[in-house]
Amino acid sequence: LIGKYFGIIEMITNRTLEGTVVGILIAFIPLAFLFQLEIAFAIAAVGMLAEYLPIEDNIGIPIVAGLTATLLL
């Protein structure tokens, strides 16, 4: 929603840079309580970049984030 209302820099598939950055920060906060900060940020960043995949966000983001966590741990 942040990207929809405040986004200026358009990316591909109707996504904004601002929305992606806020999504990474929002995902990072709870992950930082569970993992080391570097791992938490990597999981959040890769997970949010998965929204650019040509599959449904609700399927792609959890799968990619989970695979990233599995590979890093």
Side-chain angles (χ1 to χ4, degrees):
L1 293 175
I2 296 294
K4 186 179 285 188
Y5 294 112
F6 300 107
I8 296 172
I9 303 171
E10 286 282 330
M11 304 292 277
I12 56 175
T13 65
N14 291 332
R15 308 280 188 218
T16 63
L17 180 63
E18 296 84 359
T20 301
V21 170
V22 170
I24 290 171
L25 291 174
I26 295 298
F28 171 75
I29 293 169
L31 288 169
F33 288 104
L34 301 172
F35 304 108
Q36 295 174 358
L37 296 179
E38 297 84 8
I39 293 175
F41 182 76
I43 295 169
V46 173
M48 287 310 297
L49 291 177
E51 72 178 344
Y52 293 102
L53 293 175
I55 58 175
E56 175 64 32
D57 291 350
N58 295 327
I59 296 170
I61 292 172
I63 290 173
V64 170
L67 287 173
T68 303
T70 302
L71 292 173
L72 290 176
L73 299 174

